[in-house]
């Protein structure tokens, strides 16, 4: 849930000062306006860390939550896993590595737009299989991924400096 803190920081720092009508905290908003260039990178870093931690704790270090998910609501995945020629533990390990790599790429600002597109595709596939609860749970991550797809890594704190689709 570290990405939710990133969303808060992004909205608080990047907000237009006329949109915020907080009398007592208006000076804070004016101070934060100087850091607008850091709003998107903070969102990117918090999301990357969230993906890395989720992959480590839920799939790579302790795969029991993922095994329980596939045995329960994720039962529809068995035919897909069989089609790939993998066992369930192999699939969980592969998904954990994918999530870890995407999180690291987003964290450091490499291929941010491409990672945003990949995350949107993965979350939409999950929604197709699991329905409304999955949509509601992943809606903030879909919105963040869309921001990465459209805005890129941000101007600050990114190793990728070249403009273009894969920046």
């Amino acid at each position: 849930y570290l990405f939710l803190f990133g969303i808060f920081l992004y909205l608080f720092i990047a907000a237009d000062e006329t949109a915020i009508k907080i009398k007592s905290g208006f000076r804070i908003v004016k101070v934060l306006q100087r850091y607008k260039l850091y709003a998107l990178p903070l969102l990117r870093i918090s999301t990357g860390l969230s993906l890395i931690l989720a992959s480590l704790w839920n799939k790579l270090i302790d795969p029991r939550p993922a095994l329980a998910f596939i045995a329960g609501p994720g039962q529809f995945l068995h035919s897909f896993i069989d089609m790939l020629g993998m066992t369930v533990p192999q699939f969980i390990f592969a998904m954990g590595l994918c999530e870890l790599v995407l999180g690291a790429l987003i964290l450091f600002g490499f291929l941010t737009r491409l990672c945003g597109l990949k995350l949107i595709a993965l979350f939409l596939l999950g929604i197709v299989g699991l329905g409304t609860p999955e949509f509601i749970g992943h809606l903030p991550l879909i919105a963040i991924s869309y921001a990465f797809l459209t805005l890129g890594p941000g101007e600050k704190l990114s190793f990728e400096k070249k403009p273009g689709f894969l920046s």
Side-chain angles (χ1 to χ4, degrees), residues 27-115:
R27 275 184 245 114
I28 296 170
V29 173
K30 284 212 170 266
V31 169
L32 289 176
Q33 293 294 310
R34 288 185 264 164
Y35 300 103
K36 271 190 171 188
L37 292 177
Y38 291 96
L40 186 60
L42 287 173
L43 178 64
R44 182 178 45 78
I45 290 168
S46 66
T47 303
L49 286 174
S50 291
L51 289 171
I52 290 170
L53 292 174
S55 73
L56 289 174
W57 268 268
N58 294 335
K59 293 174 187 77
L60 298 176
I61 293 175
D62 182 19
R64 288 179 292 184
L67 289 168
F69 172 77
I70 290 178
Q75 189 73 28
F76 71 95
L77 288 172
H78 281 286
S79 60
F80 178 69
I81 295 170
D82 291 340
M83 183 181 70
L84 293 174
M86 303 172 95
T87 64
V88 172
Q90 288 172 334
F91 178 75
I92 291 171
F93 183 75
M95 290 305 295
L97 282 179
C98 179
E99 192 172 3
L100 181 72
V101 168
L102 283 172
L105 288 171
I106 288 171
L107 175 68
F108 293 112
F110 287 118
L111 304 172
T112 309
R113 294 177 193 267
L114 190 62
C115 290

Side-chain angles (χ1 to χ4, degrees), residues 120-131:
I120 289 171
L122 288 173
F123 292 135
L124 290 179
L125 285 173
I127 291 167
V128 168
L130 296 170

